[in-house]
Amino acid sequence: MVAVKEERSLEEGLLKLKNQNDASGCRITTCVILSTFVAICGSFSFGVSVGYTSGAEVGMIKDMGLSIAEFSAFGSFSTLGATFGALFSGKMAIMLGRKGTMWVSDILCITGWLCIAFAKDVLWLNIGRFSSGIGLGLISYVVPVYIAEITPKHVRGTFTFSNQLLQNCGLAMVYFCGNFINWRMMALLGALPCFIQGIGLFFVPESPRWLAKASTDKELENSLLRLRGRDADISSEASEIQVMTKMLESDSKSSFSDLLQRKYRHTLVVGIGLMLIQQFSGSTAVLCYANTIFRKAGFSVAIGSTLLGIFVVPKAMIGLILVDKWGRRPLLLASASGMCLFCMFIGLAFTLQKMQLLLELTPVFTFICVTLYIASYAIGVGGLPWVIMSEVFPMNIKVTAGSIVTLASWSSSSVVTYAFNFLFEWSTQGTFYIFGAVGGAALVFIWFLVPETKGLSLEEIQLSLIREPDEINHT
């Protein structure tokens, strides 16, 4: 009974601090911009890795004498390594801090890219791909979490979505440059942002929310002063973070059993569900095997990959601009609708091709639909699951829940990446009808289960979500 009263009083204190924090939390400083830029440098390497197999396929098979099976294995080692990295991403982020985890990911990614760039045989290619994959598994968790924890709430979505923008920049580099840059040089370009991030981390602050759990109040306040400005009044924001941290620490320590508590089920279902939607709607398969799809449709691979390279960055800007204006739910619904629709259209194009109908139009129609599918993916489903994942989990379960959600993303990505070629051989049109059906199911899931988090602080989001089950029980 005493614990319940104490929790209630902490909740009331947090709500009182909300209005005080609104005025002081709206400042965007140079430090916030620099810290976000340093964090998303790793995301560029992420994007290069996703599209690398598409751009390097022809040159690597020719230079290294690889069979199709060996090259397919090389591609899958990235998602395998990322799955392995995801297992430890949460624990590492809490033990080493957000910055420490990014340093570890930089070392792994740089090592991996250098192994690929200077490989003499397939063994070193696979070692490099697996090493960089582990780094990607860490990056995919810690970067959105770090950005969400350092940015003011009114621009948190935009700044966190910049993670997706830099992924698309890396993807664009591979698509655009893969036609005329050697695959070894592309590997070196993939390592370069990790060098930049490794150096930049020396000049940015640690996450204040991690410091609230792992360090002293003084270090927490110093971090907030650097992020909000030396002349800013950070007392209310610091108090809000400390109140929420204290309230959550009154619960049990982070473990798998915590996730089974009723008050956390909703957030876990949302986190895992969005990651499964992201992967099983076909995004990884389309991004990794865009050239294969163009080739099967009869569209020029060189023209298709070059145009995609030009297009992927501007379309990612749309989500970046709209995420804090429209909100998370409208963008997710629009994104899932577009992915569902254009997958069905791609399936229709391959159906017409198989029936020998409109053969002169289906290649161009397929390219347009693939491009619009990727655009739909980029404005919502591509980046927002990571944004929402970084927002909804309280600090006391963020480690375990974040690791499970990241693991769900990479393990399902491995399944899709591995199965796509078999599905594509089985039925070109059927493959995309399946992806389209997943997009349709995603609309239902998002409409009924995904909360809107625009304009709320992390503490407000987490408090509202964990109180929902109790309110339901008392009605």
Side-chain angles (χ1 to χ4, degrees), residues 39 100 108 112 156 164 175 179-180 182 188 206 223-224 250-251 274 278 302 320 335 350 361 407 442 463:
L108 290 166
R156 187 181 59 244
Q164 175 73 10
Y175 284 156
N179 292 317
F180 53 86
N182 183 273
L188 292 176
E206 180 56 90
S223 175
L224 282 174
S250 67
D251 289 335
L274 287 176
Q278 184 186 70
L320 189 74
S335 177
F350 280 119
L361 296 179
L407 177 63
L463 184 60

Side-chain angles (χ1 to χ4, degrees), residues 72-85:
S72 297
F74 166 77
S76 66
F77 269 110
S78 179
T79 50
L80 182 63
T83 303
F84 183 77

Side-chain angles (χ1 to χ4, degrees), residues 385-458:
W386 297 104
V387 174
I388 292 172
M389 181 273 289
S390 69
E391 294 176 330
V392 298
F393 294 127
M395 284 297 294
N396 67 321
I397 65 164
K398 184 168 280 190
V399 174
T400 309
S403 296
I404 289 175
V405 168
T406 308
L407 177 63
S409 174
W410 283 110
S411 57
S412 56
S413 176
S414 298
V415 171
V416 173
T417 303
Y418 180 76
F420 177 76
N421 284 323
F422 296 101
L423 286 171
F424 210 50
E425 287 298 319
W426 162 69
S427 173
T428 52
Q429 67 272 23
T431 301
F432 285 96
Y433 288 145
I434 292 172
F435 291 156
V438 174
L443 288 171
V444 178
F445 179 88
I446 294 165
W447 182 267
F448 287 105
L449 292 176
V450 177
E452 181 56 74
T453 59
K454 182 187 74 168
L456 300 175
S457 72
L458 296 181

Side-chain angles (χ1 to χ4, degrees), residues 46-269:
F46 185 114
V48 173
S49 183
V50 170
Y52 187 74
T53 50
S54 181
E57 180 178 3
V58 176
M60 185 178 288
I61 289 176
K62 180 180 178 181
D63 294 347
M64 301 295 288
L66 303 182
S67 66
I68 296 298
E70 287 175 324
F71 184 78
S72 297
F74 166 77
S76 66
F77 269 110
S78 179
T79 50
L80 182 63
T83 303
F84 183 77
L87 287 171
F88 304 99
S89 58
K91 284 291 183 186
M92 191 172 293
I94 206 68
M95 291 174 63
L96 302 180
R98 298 359 179 184
K99 288 173 58 177
T101 304
M102 283 189 272
W103 265 316
V104 172
S105 71
D106 288 336
I107 293 170
L108 290 166
C109 285
I110 290 170
T111 301
W113 284 119
L114 292 179
C115 285
I116 293 171
F118 298 103
K120 299 298 183 183
D121 54 45
V122 68
L123 175 63
W124 284 105
L125 286 175
N126 291 338
I127 290 173
R129 189 72 167 164
F130 185 76
S131 175
S132 63
I134 297 174
L136 296 180
L138 300 177
I139 287 172
S140 61
Y141 170 78
V142 74
V143 168
V145 168
Y146 176 76
I147 297 173
E149 290 179 349
I150 66 169
T151 49
K153 62 185 180 182
H154 71 293
V155 293
R156 187 181 59 244
T158 299
F159 274 70
T160 309
F161 205 89
S162 64
N163 175 49
Q164 175 73 10
L165 177 63
L166 263 287
Q167 289 179 23
N168 278 272
C169 289
L171 197 63
M173 191 276 288
V174 173
Y175 284 156
F176 186 74
C177 299
N179 292 317
F180 53 86
I181 290 182
N182 183 273
W183 58 273
R184 294 184 187 273
M185 181 59 68
M186 280 200 296
L188 292 176
L189 290 175
L192 181 59
C194 298
F195 279 107
I196 296 173
Q197 184 183 67
I199 296 170
L201 286 170
F202 286 103
F203 303 98
V204 300
E206 180 56 90
S207 161
R209 287 171 174 84
W210 180 78
L211 291 173
K213 280 182 66 73
S215 192
T216 63
D217 291 346
K218 184 66 175 176
E219 290 186 63
L220 163 63
E221 291 170 2
N222 286 338
S223 175
L224 282 174
L225 282 172
R226 290 182 65 187
L227 291 166
R228 303 294 177 253
R230 290 294 176 183
D231 58 342
D233 179 9
I234 51 91
S235 57
S236 59
E237 184 176 5
S239 298
E240 184 179 1
I241 293 171
Q242 290 163 337
V243 166
M244 190 64 181
T245 301
K246 184 178 179 181
M247 186 181 79
L248 293 171
E249 284 181 344
S250 67
D251 289 335
S252 58
K253 297 294 183 181
S254 178
S255 65
F256 182 76
S257 61
D258 287 350
L259 302 181
L260 302 179
Q261 296 180 39
R262 182 179 179 85
K263 61 183 178 180
Y264 298 137
R265 290 178 193 170
H266 183 195
T267 58
L268 190 64
V269 168

